[in-house]
Amino acid sequence: MSSPETPVPQRWPATVADNRHRRAYALVGLSLLSALQVLDPTLNSLALPEVAGELRMDPSVRAFASSVGTLLLAAAMLGIGILGDLRGRRRVLLVGTLGMAIGGVVCAAAPVAGVYVLGRVVMGVSTAASFGMSLAILPALFRPEELPRVFGAWLGVQSAISVFGTIGSGALQASLGWRATCLIIPVLAVVFTACGALAVPESRAAHPRRFDVVGVVLAAAALICLMGGFTLAGELGWGSPVVLGGLLLAVVLLAAFAVWEARSPQPGFPIRLFAVPAFTAACVVGIVFNFANGVIAMQLPTVLESVLGRSAFVVSIALTVMSVGMLFGTLAAGEAQKRLRLSARTMFTSGLLVISLGILLLGLVRTTTGSWYFAGCAFIVGFGIMWAQNSESAVVMSAAPKEMVGSVGAVKPAVGQFGMGLGLGVVVPIVVGVLRSSGATGREGIIAGFTEVMLFIGGFIVLCAVGVHLIMARQPHLQSFGSPPTED
């Protein structure tokens, strides 16, 4: 059954097929399902200090457990996107969400560290299906001119659920322990899957194409080598042959992927999109703001709970304040674009600068700094993330050819989770390296190393904002591509 108000034909569930509000119901269902990907890293970072203590994780295992989910999410995204285009986006979406429930149960029941890591592996691959298809279905339901408003609502629901989920998880963990925290995602996944089954329509590419096995394998292997190299750097050092070899292999594999996709008669991903300034800038912005998100999600619980001795409930409040900042950022971005007609260039640059401000303020903390200060910095970072993300989502997905919304949709979470993985897995070895080089010990030394790294990261994000501003000088506005894109 096709729908005249949608860009591509849809097969609607019987429960909403004849309802004039069916697209709104579908948006609610997709927003709920996508919110699990936003909530999961926060819950994992909140539980991980207690998990590491009870299951006796050494630092390298803990770093791997913190980043393996995001690593596999990024690695699996392209294959999942193509599979959704060919086999049905709704089907892949619902199966992936149920997979998240299974992964969460495995983590909650883990008797040893290895089983917990296995649960995170299942969670990462399943999240690729759940979040990736939620994102891919939106441009099949809504026209390009509607996407900024649609993504505002989509991100707003994610932020609201993140706020309430973080508050509830902190109280739950304080009373029942980390295993109860791990069960939050499974419970929500089952409920949201039922909502999605009732409201979300099925769609797929009108013309079948082959599954790009070579492209999928090259992309996945490249991301695994890249993230694996960063993770091992904390244990083996940046000069280790294993680390350097992994990073070099990742570069070679990414180059091979680009060449393969450019020459393939039926590519899994339209590599030509990276020739468009707005699309490339959006990808850079996605990496940077997710990197900042990963830094906060990993470093705040570590510093507040493990170094300064604050309770898990206090940590959850700080992370909740960040989620509140995200919610305000989403609402403010929507209003600013509606009333002031700000360009994507302005949204990107200003959002990254706000993020850098929050990170730089963390470079001023001391052992006596109150928890409220950490929460305030997290609020600023969260606001900046969502201020930039609304335009980033609209730019990326408006670029998607109708036959390849799953494949192109893979870009946003793939680059985002790459950035998140960097924030979760790379900052820890950098902090450890700074401490080792300075010989600092004790709380004072650890905080000094932390502040030094935060100042460096804040400065780096400022440079990224300048770079994005220059890239977007050639294409400052949102553009929709119905045919192979060209530069302005």
Side-chain angles (χ1 to χ4, degrees), residues 359-405:
I359 298 290
L360 288 170
L361 289 174
L362 285 174
L364 305 178
V365 303
R366 299 292 182 267
T367 55
T368 56
T369 300
S371 301
W372 64 268
Y373 185 88
F374 289 90
C377 293
F379 178 93
I380 295 172
V381 173
F383 185 96
I385 287 173
M386 286 302 184
W387 180 268
Q389 186 168 183
N390 195 354
S391 289
E392 182 252 1
S393 302
V395 168
V396 169
M397 295 314 300
S398 69
K402 295 177 182 179
E403 295 288 288
M404 304 180 75
V405 290

Side-chain angles (χ1 to χ4, degrees), residues 270-316:
I271 201 74
R272 68 187 186 277
L273 289 178
F274 286 105
V276 179
F279 184 82
T280 300
C283 291
V284 173
V285 169
I287 292 174
V288 175
F289 72 64
N290 277 283
F291 170 73
N293 194 3
V295 169
I296 298 297
M298 186 65 186
Q299 292 301 308
L300 249 64
T302 300
V303 171
L304 286 174
E305 193 170 351
S306 301
V307 179
L308 300 181
R310 314 289 164 84
S311 68
F313 180 72
V314 170
V315 174
S316 71

Side-chain angles (χ1 to χ4, degrees), residues 221-243:
L223 288 171
I224 289 173
C225 289
L226 188 65
M227 295 303 298
F230 285 141
T231 302
L232 291 174
E235 183 69 18
L236 303 178
W238 292 100
S240 167
V242 175
V243 173

Side-chain angles (χ1 to χ4, degrees), residues 182-274:
C182 292
L183 289 175
I184 293 175
I185 292 293
V187 171
L188 292 178
V190 171
V191 175
F192 292 170
T193 298
C195 294
L198 293 173
V200 176
E202 180 64 284
S203 65
R204 66 182 68 187
H207 306 288
R209 66 182 191 273
R210 66 176 178 82
F211 188 89
D212 185 10
V213 176
V214 175
V216 168
V217 171
L218 286 173
L223 288 171
I224 289 173
C225 289
L226 188 65
M227 295 303 298
F230 285 141
T231 302
L232 291 174
E235 183 69 18
L236 303 178
W238 292 100
S240 167
V242 175
V243 173
L244 294 177
L247 296 178
L248 178 60
L249 181 58
V251 172
V252 172
L253 289 170
L254 285 173
F257 169 76
V259 172
W260 172 265
E261 295 300 307
R263 295 182 176 180
S264 175
Q266 290 186 311
F269 176 81
I271 201 74
R272 68 187 186 277
L273 289 178
F274 286 105

